[in-house]
């Protein structure tokens, strides 16, 4: 069986040195290839419900598209392409920094983030909102009270912005079992990590694996990643563990 997969994007932009900024043309070609090859791009909430049913037929060729950070170029460059293909995505917001700049990013420290009005606009277009904490902190370095504030304040902001399905994305992919427990206790229904060491199962709903999309990824590499069978993914996962 091929799929399911969760893709992790950040910025969709041209004329940048950010290694995680996928060009507009590359993003358009990736979505066109998914459509031409009959992949079904579904909301994160649908995928979570499906993996809980553990029905391989439902999960076959399913793809979830996610964006971390909430860059302003999502609304100018990514959203029109998503709407052209009639597919949706989840944007994980740094909720206390709406309308500011991505100060945590070495490559994009001066890149603007969406404002609250822009976030409310993409919500009207069917885009789901998730939490990327309040201020993009490495959660593994925080004490208990600061961790709780990051989770709670961001959850409250999502509610204020009109979201009802609460998903979380770990900044820099940094998490631990106690942090995952805290995310669950704070009222989030799932959490997304970075990389594919974990399996995409209901048991791992607070550390769901994602494929990182980068600027250097050629279309043929993208196609290879999205046509792997479950057996091939297990072999790759085992190889990664042997290297660790």
């Amino acid at each position: 069986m091929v799929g399911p997969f969760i893709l992790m994007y950040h910025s969709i932009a041209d004329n940048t040195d950010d290694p995680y900024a996928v060009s507009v043309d590359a993003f358009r070609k990736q979505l066109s290839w998914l459509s031409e090859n009959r992949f079904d791009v579904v909301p994160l909430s649908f995928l979570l419900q499906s993996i809980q049913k553990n029905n391989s037929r439902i999960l076959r060729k399913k793809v979830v598209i996610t964006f971390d950070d909430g860059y302003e170029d999502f609304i100018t460059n990514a959203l029109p392409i998503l709407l052209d293909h009639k597919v949706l995505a989840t944007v994980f917001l740094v909720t206390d920094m709406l309308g500011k700049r991505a100060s945590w990013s070495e490559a994009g420290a001066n890149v603007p983030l969406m404002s609250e009005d822009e976030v409310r606009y993409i919500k009207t277009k069917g885009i789901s909102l998730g939490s990327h904490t309040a201020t993009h902190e490495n959660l593994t370095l925080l004490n208990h009270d600061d961790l709780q504030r990051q989770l709670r304040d961001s959850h409250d902001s999502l509610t204020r912005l009109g979201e009802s399905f609460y998903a979380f994305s770990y900044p820099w992919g940094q998490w631990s079992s106690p942090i995952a427990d805290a995310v669950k206790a704070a009222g989030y229904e799932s959490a997304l990590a970075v990389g594919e060491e974990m399996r995409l199962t209901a048991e791992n709903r607070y550390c769901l694996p994602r494929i990182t999309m980068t600027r250097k990824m050629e279309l043929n590499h993208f196609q290879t990643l999205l046509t792997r069978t479950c057996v091939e993914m297990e072999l790759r996962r085992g190889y990664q563990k042997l290297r660790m």
Side-chain angles (χ1 to χ4, degrees):
M1 184 186 80
V2 172
F5 302 102
I6 303 177
L7 309 183
M8 179 183 69
Y9 292 90
H10 287 80
S11 174
I12 304 297
D14 297 325
N15 304 315
T16 175
D17 294 327
D18 185 347
Y20 297 106
V22 174
S23 73
V24 174
D25 184 60
F27 184 61
R28 182 181 293 109
K29 287 179 178 177
Q30 289 165 3
L31 263 61
S32 294
W33 182 84
L34 290 174
S35 175
E36 291 164 3
N37 288 272
R38 298 184 180 180
F39 281 84
D40 191 7
V41 179
V42 299
L44 179 58
S45 57
F46 176 89
L47 182 67
L48 189 62
Q49 293 168 1
S50 298
I51 61 177
Q52 289 174 318
K53 295 176 182 177
N54 196 28
N55 185 320
S56 59
R57 184 182 61 81
I58 294 176
L59 295 170
R60 182 178 181 275
K61 299 188 81 170
K62 295 293 188 292
V63 175
V64 171
I65 296 176
T66 68
F67 289 81
D68 280 7
D69 300 330
Y71 288 108
E72 191 175 59
D73 59 50
F74 174 84
I75 199 168
T76 55
N77 296 337
L79 184 61
I81 299 173
L82 291 167
L83 295 178
D84 282 347
H85 286 274
K86 296 181 174 60
V87 299
L88 303 178
T90 297
V91 177
F92 290 97
L93 304 167
V94 185
T95 53
D96 281 7
M97 300 186 70
L98 300 182
K100 300 180 182 179
R101 294 181 181 271
S103 57
W104 62 84
S105 171
E106 292 183 8
N110 291 317
V111 178
L113 304 171
M114 282 186 286
S115 67
E116 182 170 324
D117 285 345
E118 288 171 326
V119 169
R120 291 186 182 278
Y121 171 74
I122 67 172
K123 189 77 174 71
T124 67
K125 297 300 181 180
I127 301 301
S128 298
L129 311 177
S131 167
H132 204 36
T133 72
T135 57
H136 205 285
E137 300 294 330
N138 183 336
L139 300 182
T140 64
L141 303 179
L142 301 183
N143 61 38
H144 177 270
D145 289 345
D146 288 341
L147 171 62
Q148 294 300 316
R149 188 189 73 79
Q150 288 286 332
L151 300 178
R152 182 186 63 249
D153 288 1
S154 194
H155 190 285
D156 291 346
S157 294
L158 292 182
T159 302
R160 179 171 53 80
L161 291 166
E163 188 54 68
S164 58
F165 176 79
Y166 297 94
F168 188 84
S169 169
Y170 300 107
W172 292 291
Q174 297 297 309
W175 66 282
S176 65
S177 293
I179 290 172
D181 291 340
V183 170
K184 180 179 180 179
Y188 294 94
E189 297 168 66
S190 66
L192 279 63
V194 175
E196 296 184 277
E197 288 79 12
M198 307 300 289
R199 294 181 179 87
L200 212 166
T201 64
E203 290 74 18
N204 292 333
R205 63 187 294 177
Y206 289 96
C207 54
L208 294 174
R210 289 188 290 177
I211 301 172
T212 302
M213 308 305 298
T214 66
R215 190 166 194 80
K216 292 184 177 180
M217 184 182 291
E218 300 289 343
L219 183 60
N220 61 351
H221 186 199
F222 178 84
Q223 295 167 346
T224 298
L225 290 173
L226 273 292
T227 51
R228 293 171 296 165
T229 66
C230 292
V231 172
E232 291 170 327
M233 292 173 68
E234 282 297 315
L235 290 172
R236 176 63 178 168
R237 188 177 292 114
Y239 173 71
Q240 289 174 333
K241 289 181 178 178
L242 284 174
R243 294 183 62 192
M244 294 175 63

